[in-house]
Amino acid sequence: MEIISLIGSVQTFFYLLLFGSKTQKTLSDYILILFLFLLGAMFFDNYLRNTNFYELHPQYWGITYCFPILSGPLLYYYLVLITSPNQKFCWSDLLYAAPFVTFLLYFFFTYYTLPVQQKILYFRQATNDPWLMIYAAEFFIVFSGPIYAMLGLFKLHKHSKNIANAFSYSDGISLSWLKTIFVLLVLVNIFTILLNVFSDVIPFVTYKTADNIAFSINVAFIFFLGYKGFKQKLIYNPESEIIEIEQKVETTAVVIAASNNGLSKYSKSGLNDFDGAKYYAKLINLIESEELYLNEKLTIKNVADRLGISVNHMSQIINQQSGKNFFRFVNEYRVEKAKTLLCDPSNQKYSILGLAFDCGFNSKSSFNAIFKQYTGKTPSEFQQVPNPI
């Protein structure tokens, strides 16, 4: 098993070098670099444990013991940053590191500064007769990762709603790869906890074996995270006015439960129904006359700027007048355009992917998925049906 941990460590530090060469790094990049460094150190620590290094050099026992406490919050903080329009550090962000710093300082003064023989006695006592701080540290080490992974999944769910209200595309901004990471983190952590529980009951499943299995799974996890994280680009332009529309942080809609008082959720937006209908008619005319939906990178801000209204009012108008979010509103036009092109016999000589690009889609996968969602057929199946419109 030591070779797997060594591979994971080398792989992680390779990504650190790769990120180091990246120009114009953002704050989220630096957070991911720190996260990868922690994982690389933990991989190398596991390699040393499996090679009996610590039996020969007990003064280094527990050098990465607190690192798992910080890894979960760091990955979640990375998600918070890349889903934020402005990647700015706030002093309150240090709270993510508070448990890690607390336990690191505690063990620094009670363990790390001790002579070697006292360290050995301390380690044995903590293993055989743990006290409150040891139990507390173990709790954060075991549960910090899965808890923050679950919080990450909730954050990603909210993010998917926000981008559906602000963007007409999802490629490169949906963060589906990060959702996979968080799901895997939850599953791997649950698996590890179960193995560690059974290690006390089933003799051949030792605590060390459980850790080695988890580290083996994490090698693939690191490869995926490093590769995707390096390729991830900014979702929001720092100078853009696109914000998390669901929050309505300006003077627009304040969500009020209709069941409580019968008021519209946009009752405080400042936009009345008459103006909403007027702007919606202008929107339809603009979209259809200029075929704005053919712009593969169309955002709600592009449209709002053309109509001279705020992004949040534009979102409200689309939601109220069409009952759709911006993503669905635009992509219905694209699908209808695609249906027309697919039915035209003169287009048989062109590839379906080429036609997809002509309709405003920016990838084959998104075109196939969206087209099937709206029509119940794949583009190729639809094209084979005579006169389907």
Side-chain angles (χ1 to χ4, degrees), residues 4-18 36 40 43 218-226:
I4 294 176
S5 293
L6 184 60
I7 291 172
S9 179
V10 171
Q11 180 178 260
T12 304
F13 287 107
F14 166 76
Y15 278 122
L16 288 177
L17 293 175
L18 196 62
L36 289 171
F43 272 121
N218 283 333
V219 170
F221 161 75
I222 285 297
F223 176 81
F224 186 59
L225 174 64

Side-chain angles (χ1 to χ4, degrees), residues 14 60 125 165 168-169 176 192-193 211 318 325 342 354 373:
F14 166 76
Y60 299 114
Q125 184 180 356
N165 277 313
S168 66
Y169 58 96
S176 57
T192 305
I193 291 170
D211 277 354
I318 294 174
N325 56 42
L342 288 169
Q373 179 185 355

Side-chain angles (χ1 to χ4, degrees), residues 40-338:
M42 287 188 284
F43 272 121
F44 192 65
D45 175 73
N46 194 57
Y47 166 75
L48 294 179
R49 274 190 290 160
N50 280 280
T51 55
N52 298 319
F53 173 85
Y54 291 122
E55 278 71 11
L56 299 175
H57 306 280
Q59 66 268 28
Y60 299 114
W61 272 351
I63 196 168
T64 65
Y65 179 73
C66 295
F67 284 10
I69 300 175
L70 185 59
S71 60
L74 273 180
L75 190 58
Y76 178 75
Y77 184 44
Y78 169 76
L79 171 61
V80 169
L81 289 174
I82 61 175
T83 56
S84 172
N86 299 302
Q87 292 198 21
K88 292 183 179 179
F89 171 77
C90 299
W91 287 108
S92 59
D93 295 339
L94 291 175
L95 291 174
Y96 288 112
F100 168 76
V101 173
T102 299
F103 288 106
L104 186 65
L105 289 175
Y106 172 78
F107 288 115
F108 177 81
F109 290 109
T110 64
Y111 174 73
Y112 290 123
T113 56
L114 294 176
V116 176
Q117 292 303 317
Q118 291 186 37
K119 274 188 175 182
I120 295 173
L121 293 175
Y122 186 104
F123 184 83
R124 288 174 179 170
Q125 184 180 356
T127 303
N128 299 319
D129 187 22
W131 52 96
L132 180 61
M133 285 299 287
I134 300 297
Y135 280 120
E138 286 293 320
F139 173 84
F140 278 96
I141 288 171
V142 173
F143 293 105
S144 177
I147 288 174
Y148 274 101
M150 291 297 296
L151 290 175
L153 291 175
F154 286 116
K155 181 73 175 175
L156 284 168
H157 178 70
K158 182 179 179 181
H159 171 70
S160 66
K161 289 184 176 181
N162 290 333
I163 63 173
N165 277 313
F167 298 90
S168 66
Y169 58 96
S170 60
D171 298 274
I173 63 173
S174 66
L175 300 178
S176 57
W177 67 271
L178 200 50
K179 181 179 180 180
T180 302
I181 291 289
F182 280 119
V183 170
L184 287 175
L185 272 177
V186 173
L187 295 177
V188 169
N189 276 279
I190 292 175
F191 178 70
T192 305
I193 291 170
L194 291 176
L195 279 179
N196 286 329
V197 169
F198 283 120
S199 67
D200 295 330
V201 180
I202 306 174
F204 66 84
V205 182
T206 64
Y207 181 87
K208 192 174 182 179
T209 300
D211 277 354
N212 284 333
I213 292 174
F215 274 101
S216 300
I217 297 172
N218 283 333
V219 170
F221 161 75
I222 285 297
F223 176 81
F224 186 59
L225 174 64
Y227 174 73
K228 290 291 189 178
F230 182 77
K231 291 182 64 179
Q232 181 63 48
K233 293 180 174 59
L234 284 175
I235 295 174
Y236 298 96
N237 185 333
E239 298 178 356
S240 172
E241 294 178 7
I242 293 178
I243 59 172
E244 293 185 356
I245 297 173
E246 289 294 317
Q247 292 183 353
K248 303 291 184 293
V249 297
E250 296 180 359
T251 59
T252 55
V254 175
V255 177
I256 301 175
S259 59
N260 289 342
N261 50 24
L263 296 178
S264 166
K265 69 176 183 176
Y266 294 108
S267 61
K268 293 186 179 181
S269 73
L271 182 70
N272 59 50
D273 292 340
F274 176 77
D275 287 338
K278 181 177 66 174
Y279 276 115
Y280 185 68
K282 290 183 178 181
L283 169 66
I284 296 298
N285 180 63
L286 179 66
I287 289 286
E288 295 181 354
S289 62
E290 298 190 21
E291 295 187 314
L292 294 184
Y293 53 88
L294 299 183
N295 175 7
E296 64 180 29
K297 295 294 185 181
L298 186 68
T299 68
I300 197 169
K301 185 179 186 303
N302 300 145
V303 180
D305 286 346
R306 291 293 303 275
L307 294 178
I309 60 176
S310 73
V311 168
N312 285 324
H313 277 164
M314 189 76 265
S315 175
Q316 176 187 342
I317 290 166
I318 294 174
N319 291 165
Q320 283 187 324
Q321 300 295 327
S322 71
K324 305 162 189 169
N325 56 42
F326 182 71
F327 180 88
R328 184 176 181 86
F329 176 78
V330 173
N331 279 284
E332 281 189 357
Y333 278 101
R334 290 172 176 167
V335 169
E336 289 303 316
K337 180 74 172 181

Side-chain angles (χ1 to χ4, degrees), residues 12-48:
T12 304
F13 287 107
F14 166 76
Y15 278 122
L16 288 177
L17 293 175
L18 196 62
F19 270 95
S21 66
K22 187 176 181 179
T23 57
Q24 297 181 335
K25 289 187 284 290
T26 61
L27 178 57
S28 59
D29 287 327
Y30 286 108
I31 295 301
L32 190 56
I33 288 172
L34 180 56
F35 176 78
L36 289 171
F37 171 79
L38 290 182
L39 288 192
M42 287 188 284
F43 272 121
F44 192 65
D45 175 73
N46 194 57
Y47 166 75
L48 294 179

